[in-house]
Amino acid sequence: MTINVPHSDNNAPLKLRTLGRSGLFVSELCLGTMTFGGGDDMWGLIGQLQQDEADRLMGTAIDTGINFIDTANVYGAGASEQFVGQSLQNLAIKREDIVLATKVLGPMGASPNTRGASRVHIMNECKASLRRLQTDYIDLYQIHGFDPATPIVETLEALNTLVQQGHVRYVGLSNWAAWQVMKAIGIAESRRLCPILSLQAHYTIAGRDLEREVTPMLESEQVGLMVWSPLAGGYLSGKYEGPDVSGENRRAKFDFPPVNRERGSKIIATMREIAVGKHVNGKPVSVAQIALAWLLHQPVVTSVIVGAKRVDQLMDNIQAAGIRLSEGELTALDDVSRLPEEYPGWMLQRQGEYRAHMKS
């Protein structure tokens, strides 16, 4: 379900969409806070924003209609959660006006029991996240990745305990394969545990791998999709293509997520052509905004997570919600970015043709 809400700085309002099979409404754009609080580590390469800068980004996001905030305990070794929680206090934001999401999995200490998706780690880290976020509940608690050392049922029962205790309202997953998500859904249903509402995953016009197995599963099971790194670590801004590319950029230091540059160059060229002549709120549309708009046109997407280091970057990302792509433009983008056919996909399509028209 989708509804519109007022948006102060965009001709088109940000939409609210229900998260999976729930009555929880989240904005189609979500503020990602991976840039908050990094130090002399991997997170510092992504961002080292301090409290005053975090406050400005949080305030801008909320003022423009974003009600969905995503963080994780590992971002900045807990600093991101601390800054998010303090921003909510500094900005006097009502807790019920925000959908607050965080994640657990990565190492938060040297012990083998301070990482993973075991009951002990989940229970301990939820309490730590609540303290850092300065709240008594988390709206969406997500398992940040698949833990091969912990039975899925143990993970799901720990999440269910947190929901029963009132510390967590809804639960989701991140970076799980389709079969892993389906196994979790089956276990949750058979044991009457809290349902899996969402999957946070990487999905871009230059990285459509999700479409082979994951997105059909999400649509079938009505699980919401939250997209991380929608610009592929900045690659889809187009600034890393061409002869004038500087060696001093994020992807030169931290080349992640991986991108097929040969295909990516063709996709960026097509997006440049589509952007020509387009304007949003009187400003020329950028390649990055076309990439974000393409995601927002995909029915499987619930919310796109956008991060930034500066307010103007965040505003540019938010403006992408006002871009409408024509059927011809969407076809052109699909043609240049479509995945190569693989088995069993091509066989499923061939054998399903004579029945597809009968589907209601």
Side-chain angles (χ1 to χ4, degrees), residues 124-330:
N124 288 342
E125 281 306 310
C126 182
K127 291 179 180 179
S129 289
L130 290 169
R131 287 194 299 270
R132 288 189 289 262
L133 291 166
Q134 300 184 53
T135 184
D136 56 3
Y137 69 94
I138 295 163
D139 292 291
L140 178 65
Y141 201 41
Q142 305 156 97
I143 303 301
H144 208 163
F146 186 74
D147 178 5
T150 301
I152 293 177
V153 66
E154 177 180 337
T155 298
L156 296 178
E157 288 182 342
L159 292 173
N160 193 68
T161 298
L162 291 172
V163 172
Q164 291 178 331
Q165 291 175 343
H167 299 315
V168 168
R169 299 288 170 84
Y170 301 95
V171 302
L173 306 171
S174 180
N175 303 315
W176 283 38
W179 72 265
Q180 294 165 340
V181 177
M182 277 305 308
K183 187 171 182 178
I185 289 173
I187 291 171
E189 289 182 351
S190 67
R191 293 177 178 251
R192 298 186 178 181
L193 305 176
C194 55
I196 305 300
L197 284 194
S198 63
L199 177 72
Q200 188 173 144
H202 180 55
Y203 184 41
T204 73
I205 191 171
R208 297 172 60 179
D209 309 68
L210 228 60
E211 295 175 7
R212 298 207 186 279
E213 297 284 348
V214 176
T215 60
M217 177 273 300
L218 296 177
E219 290 177 321
S220 170
E221 302 305 312
Q222 295 180 277
V223 174
L225 174 61
M226 298 167 62
V227 176
W228 62 261
S229 198
L231 298 179
Y235 174 78
L236 289 174
S237 67
K239 62 186 177 183
Y240 303 138
E241 290 287 328
D244 300 324
V245 174
S246 168
E248 294 298 319
N249 59 62
R250 172 184 154 182
R251 288 201 70 98
K253 301 174 183 176
F254 185 54
D255 194 15
F256 183 84
V259 176
N260 182 321
R261 296 297 183 94
E262 183 178 351
R263 294 182 67 239
S265 295
K266 296 175 183 177
I267 293 168
I268 288 173
T270 301
M271 291 196 296
R272 287 192 200 280
E273 292 175 5
I274 290 174
V276 171
K278 283 188 179 292
H279 291 79
V280 59
N281 286 349
K283 295 181 179 180
V285 167
S286 68
V287 170
Q289 289 172 326
I290 296 294
L292 293 172
W294 180 85
L295 280 170
L296 291 171
H297 280 71
Q298 305 310 304
V300 72
V301 173
T302 301
S303 190
V304 176
I305 302 171
V306 292
K309 294 181 180 179
R310 304 190 312 270
V311 167
D312 62 298
Q313 289 178 330
L314 179 60
M315 285 304 303
D316 284 346
N317 290 340
I318 292 171
Q319 298 298 326
I323 298 171
R324 298 292 172 259
L325 300 173
S326 69
E327 286 300 317
E329 290 168 337
L330 287 169

